[in-house]
Amino acid sequence: AGLAMAFKLIESAQARWRAVNAPHLVALVRAGATFLGGKLVERPEETPATEETTAAA
């Protein structure tokens, strides 16, 4: 009975799941990329001065 109930719960949840409509972006998300308003947020380029300041702190 427990297995049948679990199956019904999963089946019910699956009806509300949304398909991934940009599978090529999944790797970026998994790598820690940030999206804001659906646009990829580029990280600012690190400058040597910034790296030195960070190392000194």
Side-chain angles (χ1 to χ4, degrees):
L3 186 57
M5 186 199 293
F7 178 78
K8 286 293 186 184
L9 285 171
I10 292 170
E11 193 175 44
S12 174
Q14 187 176 7
R16 294 185 302 272
W17 288 346
R18 184 172 166 204
V20 174
N21 56 6
H24 59 285
L25 298 177
V26 172
L28 289 173
V29 173
R30 291 193 66 188
T34 302
F35 290 83
L36 186 60
K39 303 283 184 187
L40 177 61
V41 177
E42 299 286 337
R43 285 189 236 163
E45 292 295 321
E46 293 290 330
T47 60
T50 305
E51 291 172 3
E52 290 170 11
T53 306
T54 305

